[in-house]
């Protein structure tokens, strides 16, 4: 049975210059969550603070959210929020910043919650939007956390936990391509391919429907056609705008119909070997499209998509061509240094990927043995590929 679709929070802004929408927020006190220094260097942080302060908003900045944010960072940020008592939380940054800020929001709204397990199943997810509304300003075009109900937070052992609940859907998403201009090339490629993986996994999801297919198809076409151009013209605002919009639209699709085993395996190698999320997805994606093509429904959908794209080769080969244009390696051999440790962890990794929430909606649910074979396929012995 189809589940209800929710497309973003109450306000979704996109297009060049839409950052100015911040002036219309009904807020008096805002906690602004950022990562490293990129938003400072690009001048965007100053611009955001200026717009807010000109509108008599008191701003408190929570800095230094790290990539793959930890629960410790979440609790530290939530404590600062409890002291400042914001009526609005603004996340300015990439997926890690948005995910960390969303999770800080949970523990700010509910200081009685103490551990990460408190919000993991089987515990009930708490109600949000009581003390504060939540605003996202993405600085990358990829994770779509600005329109998603999910976060990924690492526990004290570095294991990543994907948590999804519609309570965490941001109230306002401000997707201004000018904010993404400072993104380095490698991040542009990795995050853009994360967005493409969102689109293609939502498209093949066993929960896909008429509306999610429209969103997923168009965003995937736009990303495939635009990403190589952005890679050559990183300062082209129009191209950045297409990528940011496409990433957001792919997010609208996947947050409703979920993903597949590219994400399950990427979360796993992210936890065990700290492979960046977008890069892991990009490497794994063509292998899984090939694997999923054993399922007739998925194969027909992929073939149909290729026709809409105006190409005439298997989708996995289109992705391989795209990856090579973006300097993405064809397997993990240059990304994970210790193959013997990878082999040692194979059983654990297969279990981890199998139990990942994204596995449930893949066209084929692999057995543990199949997961092990897939992990081996993506990290062949030298000279095997
Ligand atoms: Fe992703």
């Amino acid at each position: 049975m189809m589940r209800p679709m929710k497309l973003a929070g109450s306000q979704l802004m996109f297009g060049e210059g839409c950052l100015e929408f911040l002036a219309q927020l009904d807020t008096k006190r805002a906690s602004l969550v950022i990562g490293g220094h990129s938003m400072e260097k690009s001048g965007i942080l100053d611009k955001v603070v200026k717009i807010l302060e000109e509108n008599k908003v008191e701003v408190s900045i929570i800095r230094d959210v790290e990539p793959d944010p930890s629960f410790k960072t979440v609790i530290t940020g939530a404590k600062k929020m409890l002291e400042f008592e914001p009526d609005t939380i603004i996340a300015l940054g990439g997926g890690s910043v948005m995910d960390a800020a969303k999770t800080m929001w949970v523990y700010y709204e509910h200081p009685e919650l103490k551990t990460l397990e408190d919000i993991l199943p089987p515990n009930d997810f708490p109600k949000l939007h009581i003390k504060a509304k939540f605003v996202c300003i993405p600085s990358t075009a990829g994770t779509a956390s600005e329109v998603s109900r999910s976060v990924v937070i690492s526990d004290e052992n570095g294991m990543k936990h994907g948590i999804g609940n519609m309570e965490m859907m941001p109230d306002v998403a401000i997707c201004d391509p000018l904010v993404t201009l400072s993104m380095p090339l490698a991040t542009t490629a990795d995050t853009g391919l994360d967005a493409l993986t969102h689109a293609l996994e939502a498209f093949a999801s066993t929960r896909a429907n008429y509306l999610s297919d429209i969103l997923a198809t168009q965003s995937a076409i736009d990303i495939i056609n635009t990403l190589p151009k952005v890679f050559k013209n990183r300062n082209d605002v129009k191209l950045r705008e297409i990528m940011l919009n496409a990433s957001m639209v792919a997010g609208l699709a996947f947050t409703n119909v979920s993903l597949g085993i590219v994400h399950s395996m990427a979360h796993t190698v992210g936890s065990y070997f700290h492979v960046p999320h977008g890069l892991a997805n990009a490497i794994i994606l063509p292998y899984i499209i090939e694997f999923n093509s054993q399922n007739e429904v998925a194969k027909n959908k992929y073939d149909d998509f290729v026709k809409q794209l105006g190409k005439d080769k298997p989708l996995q080969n289109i992705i391989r061509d795209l990856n090579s244009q973006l300097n993405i390696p064809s397997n993990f051999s240059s990304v994970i240094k210790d193959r013997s440790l990878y082999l040692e962890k194979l059983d654990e990794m297969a279990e981890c990927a199998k139990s990942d929430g994204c596995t449930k909606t893949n066209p084929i649910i692999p057995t543990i043995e199949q997961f092990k074979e897939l992990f081996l396929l993506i990290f062949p012995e030298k000279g095997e590929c």
Side-chain angles (χ1 to χ4, degrees), residues 14-52:
F14 49 95
E16 187 179 337
C18 72
L19 189 63
E20 295 295 333
F21 182 72
L22 278 173
Q24 294 179 43
L25 287 181
D26 180 17
T27 170
K28 294 275 176 279
R29 297 169 73 77
S31 282
L32 178 58
V33 183
I34 60 169
H37 299 288
S38 64
M39 290 295 95
E40 244 164 321
K41 279 190 198 143
S42 67
I44 297 291
L45 178 64
D46 280 351
K47 201 170 172 186
V48 167
V49 171
K50 189 165 175 259
I51 297 171
L52 291 168

Side-chain angles (χ1 to χ4, degrees), residues 2 7 10 17 55 70 83 109 123 198 235 272 360 376:
M2 187 185 153
L7 302 182
S10 51
N55 284 277
S70 67
E83 284 160 18
E109 295 256 358
N123 294 316
H198 294 156
N235 295 319
Y272 281 83
K360 285 194 291 244
L376 283 174

